[in-house]
Amino acid sequence: MTIIRQGSLFDIQELYNLEPTHRFEAIFSAIDIEPIFAVVTKKSRFGRPVELNYAAMIYSLVARLTERITFIKDLVKRLKNDMIFRLDCGFLVSDSVPSEAAYSRMVTIISESSILEEVNNALLQTAISEGFINDDTVAIDATHFEAKDQAPPKEEKPKTEPMKRGRKSKEEREQWLIEQAEREANLPLFEKKIEEQLDVPLEQLRTEVPQNPEWGVKKNSEGKNVFWYGYKAHLAVGTKSQYILQSLFSSGNLNDGKAAIPLLKGIHERVQLENLRYQTMDAGYDFEPIYEQIHRMGQQSVIAYNKRNEPEPEGVDKHFAPTCFREHSYRYDSFDPKYETLKFTRPKECKECPLANEGLCQKIYKVKITTDLRRYTAPARGSKTWKTIFKTRTAVERVNAYLKLYFQLNNVRYRTGKRAKVHFDLVTLVYNASKLAADRINALFSLQVAA
């Protein structure tokens, strides 16, 4: 019997209104902690003590996020003073409560592996197999969150020697070009141009992402620059299911567009949704290599166009649809996936136009999207279908708000980027687990109603 999920019946807010014991049970059951337990379990008779309940410690870190406990010391205090909470986390009455140092050691061990990402990917596969993820559109966006450490003073740039006026000689220019090429070749991957990422394997891309806290800047709603010191969370979210399908943690100064290709490759290689057709993003991702990566995946781009002081194109309107002699826009009709061709039909205004009767205006225009992947998208820019798909991009903004409101994304309490990434990975894992728990409750409720 097919389970029909009714998303409006029960959501994450209602999950958090449950009694803590029931909420913990629902969320814990969605996470397979065995791989994490295998990483953190003591394997030697030397070093830290062995009497700690590591499985319960992992569950307590999850509970810390759901209960919005700010500090590890507050978590330890809660475990000591609240017997029910301690039992909910899986500790036995005879177990000793771990110290702050024990939690710190465990986080350090986890930071040396990618185990949280692997567990999250396994959780997504479970949600797909149970029918809760069946999206045809993914939305990608980034959000910033601050490091709790005091930002270092900005370093003054060293003074450079004044450039010599006048044109360089041929020999000087050739030498300068060689030096520029060598300098660019030696740059870290994420400081190079975005197109350099296209042929780099996914694992290498994720390994080379900068993760130390840095100064970032973004324009607010008033058009003013807002600065912060910390990190960025880059998310790829299913617009219907609202699961985080891929995530990337980076320094705060990384350009949003430079995180898109790792996210796209991660979706293509790790998630593999059969019905996935569209990738939607705002104008900050309007770069040709991103369109190229989406095209290589056999999907379509729905990305807002960023003019960047480009000259006005001739013979087309602002959405790059062809225009007639009187500059009326042709109407988008359909897309032929076999030949990757957009079809436009004659404007309504041309029905009574004498130029059309004289054969001066074409009835139909066809354009291959590969002519310019950035300008010609399927569905065509400005069409109703394009606008409808682009509106679903708000799903990723909603998830960003959930992570900050319910899951303490802003509450990073670690000094190094590697340990801060553990916090980020745990936040995304707990969010997906909460989403899966809510979906399972919905499915059970639907079965009960049907019975």
Side-chain angles (χ1 to χ4, degrees), residues 153-410:
K154 294 184 177 180
E155 298 180 359
E156 294 185 2
K157 295 182 179 179
K159 295 182 179 180
T160 57
E161 296 182 3
M163 293 181 64
K164 296 179 181 179
R165 295 186 178 182
R167 295 181 63 180
K168 294 183 175 68
S169 65
K170 185 177 180 180
E171 293 76 13
E172 288 177 332
R173 177 167 175 78
E174 289 178 354
Q175 181 62 30
W176 179 80
L177 290 173
I178 293 172
E179 291 174 357
Q180 286 289 101
E182 291 178 352
R183 191 179 296 113
E184 290 181 6
N186 293 326
L187 287 174
L189 179 59
F190 282 85
E191 292 183 19
K192 296 179 181 179
K193 296 180 180 179
I194 298 178
E195 52 262 35
E196 299 291 336
Q197 300 179 12
L198 283 170
D199 298 319
V200 177
L202 173 62
E203 295 304 323
Q204 182 181 345
L205 284 172
R206 296 191 69 92
T207 301
E208 297 192 23
V209 175
Q211 296 179 351
N212 291 324
E214 297 288 351
W215 281 102
V217 59
K218 193 169 187 177
K219 289 189 181 295
N220 61 13
S221 58
E222 299 176 355
K224 297 180 180 179
N225 287 334
V226 178
F227 296 89
W228 80 92
Y229 179 75
Y231 311 99
K232 273 188 180 180
H234 307 270
L235 304 178
V237 174
T239 56
K240 291 182 181 178
S241 67
Q242 294 188 29
Y243 281 83
I244 300 174
L245 302 179
Q246 285 292 290
S247 60
L248 195 69
F249 171 87
S250 78
S251 303
N253 62 350
L254 184 70
N255 181 279
D256 292 357
K258 291 187 176 181
I261 290 179
L263 291 173
L264 292 167
K265 288 188 175 184
I267 293 171
H268 187 61
E269 297 180 20
R270 295 180 174 179
V271 185
Q272 299 176 347
L273 293 173
E274 294 181 358
N275 297 328
L276 189 56
R277 297 178 60 192
Y278 305 108
Q279 302 285 343
T280 181
M281 309 168 208
D282 62 26
Y285 296 86
D286 182 31
F287 296 97
E288 290 182 8
I290 296 177
Y291 291 91
E292 175 62 28
Q293 176 61 37
I294 296 172
H295 183 257
R296 291 183 182 184
M297 294 162 58
Q299 297 164 16
Q300 304 300 333
S301 310
V302 181
I303 304 175
Y305 192 78
N306 189 346
K307 292 179 67 173
R308 299 196 187 95
N309 298 321
E310 297 172 358
E312 291 292 334
E314 297 180 359
V316 296
D317 64 10
K318 63 180 181 179
H319 299 301
F320 307 105
T323 57
C324 68
F325 258 50
R326 294 187 173 182
E327 297 187 350
H328 297 301
S329 299
Y330 276 66
R331 295 175 295 169
Y332 170 66
D333 180 84
S334 60
F335 173 68
D336 185 345
K338 182 178 180 181
Y339 297 102
E340 297 186 313
T341 302
L342 298 173
K343 179 182 177 182
F344 295 90
T345 57
R346 181 181 288 172
K348 292 180 179 180
E349 294 84 355
C350 293
K351 286 184 178 179
E352 300 177 356
C353 178
L355 296 176
N357 296 329
E358 294 176 8
L360 296 178
C361 284
Q362 292 181 217
K363 289 184 178 181
I364 294 174
Y365 266 101
K366 292 186 177 181
V367 182
K368 290 182 71 69
I369 62 171
T370 50
T371 304
D372 190 333
L373 290 172
R374 185 167 166 242
R375 291 186 173 185
Y376 301 111
T377 64
R381 291 185 180 277
S383 64
K384 289 182 179 180
T385 308
W386 190 96
K387 292 178 181 178
T388 300
I389 296 170
F390 185 73
K391 286 180 181 178
T392 63
R393 194 188 61 82
T394 56
V396 68
E397 297 173 351
R398 193 176 303 114
V399 172
N400 283 335
Y402 274 139
L403 296 186
K404 292 182 176 181
L405 181 62
Y406 290 104
F407 299 94
Q408 301 193 70
L409 179 61
N410 281 326

